[in-house]
Amino acid sequence: MYKAIIFDVYGTIFDMSSLEKRLNQFDETQASSISQLWRKTQLQHMFLKQIMQRYITFDILTKDALRFTLDKHKIQYNREDINQLFDAFLDLDYFKEIPRVFSDLKAKNLEIGVLSNGNDSMLMPLVDNSKISDDIDTVMSVDEIKQYKPSPASYALILDYYHVNRSEVLYVSSNSWDVTGAANFGFDTVWVNRRKMQFDNNGQAPTMTVSNLNELVKWVEMNK
Amino acid sequence: MYKAIIFDVYGTIFDMSSLEKRLNQFDETQASSISQLWRKTQLQHMFLKQIMQRYITFDILTKDALRFTLDKHKIQYNREDINQLFDAFLDLDYFKEIPRVFSDLKAKNLEIGVLSNGNDSMLMPLVDNSKISDDIDTVMSVDEIKQYKPSPASYALILDYYHVNRSEVLYVSSNSWDVTGAANFGFDTVWVNRRKMQFDNNGQAPTMTVSNLNELVKWVEMNK
């Protein structure tokens, strides 16, 4: 049934809580609050830039979001602080089941790709730094078309790369807005709900919900 | 200099804290939390619908956001509850300075319009129910073009209605994303910052920041 399994990157393959570790060295008392507002602001700015048709690369956007977040926490910082904290995005931990999951999927002759809002200067160090890069066939960035997810054009990139039909793609994300966007485009979707959250239903529900990626492998086996 | 002053509706002319009053009768202990998540979800869904090119009218979107919010609070509800709570959006209080501000601006031969993401079935009862409707020349809804603010197309509606240049419009909003969108389109902007918040700078800062609309009148006098 499926020919390609496409994964989101931030929060789906790589654990965003790694950010908090790095922030702990910077400001122990507010690390959790800073990391949450940073990620929230990053997404909010991204959505609004897309609506305003004012694309900028994700690295610049992420640094801007960090400055806003630190200002809001009334924390002083210099250029070096911003660069060091930003570097946490290049060195996130992947979820521990990933290597096994990718090799199981490869063994079933499935293509494995990632589609991210990150640009290459963020994605390449992250993926290359990690041991899982060998199992990823294609790293796709929306930077190629300058339109962020969840725009239809961003998911269309997958069809350009793989020359498959929409029904042959399974799209996997931990972000409900990303699941909704991919489903809206016509893909079957898997929502990775690691924290027992309520799905933010905004038009399209996921085809399948799993609590980790091992469950994804089982589900793909049953639906081949 | 300016020929038309265009106001955002929700939060700028009408006080969103009126929502909390209505919710107090429904669930006293969680009214504040519900009203905040409701508004947050409403905006988030709106932004994402715009990006996914899946416009629906704001009344339906607002009810969907309410259902999500009540589910998340583990509150039982029926259709009648949703309709009654939704009706709070049709009966918001305007900020107390508005009648005076509008009549002062009219006295300077300025056109006064509103541009809202609300559709007519939400806007008309709200504006007609209030005493300020006589001073508003034009009620513009993005429903006419099925594209939400802050898309460039939404602000272009103002030029269609008024046949003015961008430099002749002053756009007034309490929502920083709306100020940014209007500035991005090329209007001078006023950010109404009633609660001493930090402006969420996402590309364009406001031309002027005021803490209430009386200050706007003074500023327009100086800049005529």
Side-chain angles (χ1 to χ4, degrees), chain A residues 44-45 47-52 54 68 71-72 150-152 177 180-181 184 198-203, chain B residues 44-45 47-54 68 71-72 150-152 177 180-181 184 198-203:
Chain A
Q44 192 76 353
H45 283 192
F47 296 148
L48 291 167
K49 293 277 191 200
Q50 175 65 25
I51 296 172
M52 294 190 294
R54 283 284 184 269
F68 172 81
D71 286 343
K72 197 142 185 181
S151 66
W177 55 266
T180 303
N184 175 61
Q198 183 187 330
F199 187 75
D200 185 2
N201 199 325
N202 187 18
Chain B
Q44 191 76 350
H45 283 193
F47 295 148
L48 290 167
K49 292 278 191 202
Q50 175 66 24
I51 296 172
M52 295 190 294
Q53 302 167 16
R54 282 285 186 269
F68 172 81
D71 287 342
K72 197 142 183 181
S151 66
W177 55 267
T180 304
N184 175 60
Q198 181 187 333
F199 187 75
D200 185 1
N201 200 325
N202 186 20

Side-chain angles (χ1 to χ4, degrees), chain B residues 2-21:
Chain B
Y2 301 120
K3 289 187 178 166
I5 319 272
I6 310 300
F7 294 80
D8 167 54
V9 171
Y10 301 114
T12 303
I13 297 178
F14 292 95
D15 188 351
M16 303 302 282
S17 68
S18 315
L19 287 184
E20 201 174 317
K21 281 189 215 160

